[in-house]
Amino acid sequence: MEGPLALVVGILIATGVYLMLARNLLHYLFGLILISNAANLAIFVAGRVTRAAPPLIPQGMEVAPGPIANPLPQALILTAIVIGFGLLAFALALIAQAYKVLGTLDVDTMRIAEPIPPKGEKSP
Amino acid sequence: MSWLLALPFLIPILTALATFPARGRKLLCGFISVAGCALLLAATIAILVLVETGGTRAAQMGDWAAPFGITLVADRLSAIMLLISGIVGFCVSLFSLSDIRKYRVKLGFHSFFQLLLAGVCGSFITGDLFNLYVWFEVMLIASFALLVIGGDRIQLDGGIKYVALNLVSTLLMLTSIGMTYGLTGTLNMAQLHISLAAVDNPSAVSALAVLFICAFGIKAAIFPLFFWLPASYHAPPVTVTAVFAGLLTKVGVYALIRTFTLIFPSELQFPHSILLGTALLTMLTGVLGAAAHYEFRKILAFHIISQIGFLVLGLALNSPLALAGAVFYMIHNIVAKTNLFLISGTAKRLTGSFELSEIGGLYRASPLLSFFFFIAAFSLAGFPPLSGFWAKLLLVKASLDQAAYFVVAVALITGILTLFSMSKIWAEAFLKDHPKDYCQRLQDIPRYERYERLLPVAFLALITLVLGLIPGPLIDYSLAAARELLKPGEYIEAVLGLKIQYVGNR
């Protein structure tokens, strides 16, 4: 199972990076979303993938009878998804506000914080 | 004692909750915020005393034994970082009373400020990698809000660059933590010290080390990864920049120090050689950027980067003296940098701009403010007998011990260039006349505002002076902290209850 999952992670990262290279902020954000999903998937695989073996111990036994799935990475990913969701929601709201105020989503034209000095004019 | 270790993040969170309903009333809200910071300062002092008298302390949350539950650990490095966060928090919250306008308070400035402090303190005290991630996120989301609150055009522009690049670092950090778990099966830092040494897969460990350097490197603003910092740090009100400059990047450096002393075996050579190269480049590029700019806060922002280079250098040299230098430098730098930003805010209040070409005459307007600036700026440049001198001396001595003469040369060049850009500010903003003859005098601004602006600055300048004139205690403390970092036996015993023997001559 690891092989195909690794492939999916690779495809997600590649697509994400392609989108993030665009000048449009919205593309950047969608690239980020894809990569964050890829990261979660990678952690999931790193915690070892097992088939149809929930991490439950039958009543009366001290340890599970056979190999079981590792619940910890799933807990980690759940936390990461919640946090990531909050951050991405914030980023989306920020981008929407920036579009409203600055009137553009093209990062190359966003130069208010770091203006390019006009040609021929020397700094004092 | 477990409740005491939880206080550094509990107090700011409770204060944040208390300030939120009061945000409509500026005075009351500010008062709650300052009181919360005073409590936080008291708690951090108590932790420092506890660690100094009883050694490293650990607390297991919910009494779950160490590698499984959430662990809070305070060793010497954590304790001093907490104390300095308490001091910065207190000074900046006092300064914010007059610097932050009413509409920003109404949008919840003080709540986000307290959450930021909670995130910073939580990162310093946690003993668990995933918890570190969570605290980083708390810090990050609060810093996002602080950066854009009020919604000026320049804030939105700077904020987008800050958010875009920091989200990447978050992803890298999450991935590296997940991979660490996959490799070792634990995320407790003390347990990782043992487990990661037992992993027989050098290439995976190396890949992990590089991932951690990139993730924390973006946070710390080291050489090729720092571009979000000068793009955004001059956008928000100066109070926000001061606390960012003092604490945020330093949390990244703290995480790097923790990771590459405690988690990765310190015999691992190559992360340290990567860090050495980036440290030198960070020092130089930062200070060159500062030399090229003519805006008060942009110069200071580029200096943050250059100083981060010094901190990483201390880690990269990896000797007790060098690490002690890094700890001392960190304390000195947080104090001096926060102070410089606060002074720049008052300078703007008096002269009306941050552009050096548009302001001037500050020395005639207020010799007192000039005196404080002089102390902070020349301490940053490393002049004896100010605190920066001792910090640089420790690092230079450590490099000389390792016969790293090239490093010494770069450090000295950086010092000279720092002096150059500081004297540029001094000459332009303080000595030359104001081009429009507009400069207000300090006595002209209302009395309360004057106190709120000057007391924090004076207090931080006093710390710089005391550290410079009596450096002995902090140097001893830093050396002890560095010894602990390089032989983390006490840390591991406090967390796991295991004794570890270290051999070798470190």
Side-chain angles (χ1 to χ4, degrees):
Chain A
M1 208 41 203
E2 274 89 349
L5 278 176
L7 204 63
V8 172
V9 170
I11 293 170
L12 280 176
I13 298 259
T15 327
V17 169
Y18 175 75
L19 282 172
M20 283 167 82
L21 291 177
R23 279 160 51 173
N24 189 307
L25 266 179
L26 218 50
H27 288 203
Y28 183 90
L29 187 69
F30 282 118
L32 212 59
I33 292 174
L34 287 187
I35 292 190
S36 87
N37 282 316
N40 290 338
L41 203 56
I43 296 171
F44 186 64
V45 181
R48 278 180 297 283
V49 187
T50 45
R51 259 195 112 114
L56 297 172
I57 298 167
Q59 205 167 22
M61 287 178 86
E62 291 284 315
V63 289
I68 53 171
N70 187 350
L72 206 99
Q74 300 177 21
L76 297 188
I77 293 167
L78 189 61
T79 319
I81 287 174
V82 174
I83 293 176
F85 192 72
L87 290 179
L88 291 171
F90 178 88
L92 191 61
L94 179 67
I95 288 174
Q97 182 66 20
Y99 182 64
K100 224 164 83 184
V101 175
L102 306 176
T104 178
L105 282 178
D106 184 348
V107 278
D108 277 6
T109 55
M110 291 187 178
R111 310 265 346 166
I112 301 165
E114 292 174 291
I116 308 169
K119 268 193 188 137
E121 187 184 305
K122 266 192 74 171
S123 308
Chain B
M1 287 326 267
S2 61
W3 52 270
L4 187 61
L5 293 192
L7 282 186
F9 54 82
L10 280 184
I11 293 174
I13 289 179
L14 291 177
T15 318
L17 288 178
T19 46
F20 197 66
R23 68 191 186 282
R25 297 173 61 187
K26 181 170 182 274
L27 256 180
L28 177 68
C29 193
F31 177 73
I32 296 174
S33 185
V34 172
C37 285
L39 271 179
L40 174 66
L41 185 56
T44 53
I45 291 173
I47 289 176
L48 185 79
V49 171
L50 194 73
V51 169
E52 189 58 5
T53 52
T56 306
R57 294 300 181 99
Q60 317 290 349
M61 293 294 101
D63 274 340
W64 283 37
F68 305 111
I70 290 172
T71 314
L72 305 179
V73 195
D75 66 346
R76 281 200 169 86
L77 178 64
S78 300
I80 192 86
M81 293 308 290
L82 283 172
L83 176 67
I84 202 73
S85 316
I87 293 174
V88 167
F90 183 69
C91 289
V92 173
S93 71
L94 204 59
F95 188 87
S96 75
L97 293 181
S98 59
D99 190 58
I100 296 298
R101 294 290 169 78
K102 193 164 185 178
Y103 69 101
R104 288 207 168 91
V105 174
K106 208 165 194 169
L107 288 167
F109 168 83
H110 285 294
S111 307
F112 292 122
F113 177 72
Q114 294 292 339
L115 279 180
L116 184 78
L117 282 182
V120 170
C121 292
S123 315
F124 287 149
I125 202 150
T126 183
D128 179 296
L129 264 186
F130 196 73
N131 251 279
L132 186 69
Y133 167 76
V134 174
W135 286 122
F136 261 77
E137 296 318 300
V138 170
M139 197 168 79
L140 201 61
I141 198 87
S143 70
F144 286 174
L146 283 178
L147 197 64
V148 298
I149 208 169
D152 290 350
R153 285 164 63 87
I154 184 170
Q155 278 183 290
L156 286 172
D157 190 33
I160 278 183
K161 284 147 195 173
Y162 181 85
V163 169
L165 290 177
N166 272 286
L167 284 179
V168 175
S169 115
T170 301
L171 284 178
L172 282 175
M173 186 174 167
L174 181 65
T175 314
S176 47
I177 288 172
M179 296 299 138
T180 312
Y181 179 78
L183 212 54
T184 59
T186 181
L187 286 173
N188 186 294
M189 293 191 206
Q191 180 73 42
L192 273 172
H193 179 80
I194 301 163
S195 304
L196 203 68
V199 170
D200 187 27
N201 191 347
S203 50
V205 174
S206 310
L208 213 54
V210 174
L211 265 177
F212 271 115
I213 290 180
C214 290
F216 294 140
I218 296 180
K219 302 273 182 201
I222 61 175
F223 165 59
L225 312 167
F226 63 71
F227 291 97
W228 54 271
L229 195 152
S232 60
Y233 265 31
H234 60 285
V238 75
T239 311
V240 176
T241 321
V243 68
F244 280 15
L247 296 177
L248 282 197
T249 42
K250 274 49 168 204
V251 181
V253 178
Y254 168 86
L256 275 177
I257 292 181
R258 261 290 171 251
T259 314
F260 288 101
T261 55
L262 181 59
I263 296 176
F264 288 92
S266 51
E267 298 80 52
L268 207 62
Q269 278 303 321
F270 91 99
H272 293 286
S273 49
I274 295 180
L275 285 173
L276 186 64
T278 48
L280 296 179
L281 285 166
T282 312
M283 285 152 73
L284 274 180
T285 44
V287 83
L288 287 175
H293 276 85
Y294 280 87
E295 208 247 27
F296 208 141
R297 283 183 302 173
K298 278 190 190 167
I299 295 177
L300 295 180
F302 271 102
H303 272 300
I304 301 175
I305 298 166
S306 142
Q307 313 293 336
I308 292 294
F310 278 100
L311 300 178
V312 177
L313 176 68
L315 171 64
L317 290 174
N318 200 30
S319 71
L321 192 63
L323 268 171
V327 175
F328 191 100
Y329 206 112
M330 190 121 77
I331 304 305
H332 136 74
N333 187 240
I334 291 175
V335 172
K337 202 86 232 178
T338 311
N339 205 6
L340 279 174
F341 272 104
L342 295 184
I343 292 170
S344 81
T346 310
K348 156 100 197 285
R349 173 78 171 77
L350 295 176
T351 60
S353 176
F354 285 113
E355 284 293 337
L356 287 183
S357 57
E358 294 167 13
I359 65 174
L362 272 170
Y363 181 74
R364 206 184 322 152
S366 62
L368 192 60
L369 191 71
S370 320
F371 173 65
F372 293 143
F373 175 81
F374 189 82
I375 289 180
F378 280 74
S379 167
L380 209 62
F383 260 58
L386 295 160
S387 60
F389 170 71
W390 304 105
K392 285 210 171 71
L393 185 71
L394 286 174
L395 284 176
V396 167
K397 172 85 170 54
S399 331
L400 284 177
D401 285 351
Q402 299 188 11
Y405 300 112
F406 183 66
V407 174
V408 177
V410 173
L412 293 182
I413 291 172
T414 309
I416 292 169
L417 286 171
T418 309
L419 184 65
F420 163 69
S421 48
M422 282 302 160
S423 52
K424 186 167 70 184
I425 300 181
W426 178 251
E428 293 280 326
F430 288 85
L431 287 187
K432 106 178 170 222
D433 287 334
H434 196 287
K436 290 182 196 127
D437 206 19
Y438 166 73
C439 195
Q440 280 182 302
R441 292 189 310 159
L442 207 56
Q443 289 91 317
D444 299 341
I445 56 181
R447 186 152 62 100
Y448 282 112
E449 189 181 344
R450 207 159 68 216
Y451 287 145
E452 282 155 12
R453 281 180 183 275
L454 270 191
L455 277 181
V457 171
F459 182 55
L460 290 172
L462 183 72
I463 295 178
T464 305
L465 262 184
V466 169
L467 284 185
L469 295 176
I470 320 167
L474 185 59
I475 291 181
D476 289 343
Y477 188 93
S478 310
L479 280 169
R483 274 196 299 276
E484 269 183 12
L485 285 173
L486 286 173
K487 279 186 195 165
E490 201 186 330
Y491 188 102
I492 289 162
E493 198 189 332
V495 177
L496 300 174
L498 296 169
K499 273 205 189 304
I500 289 197
Q501 291 295 321
Y502 286 91
V503 284
N505 52 1
R506 272 179 186 277

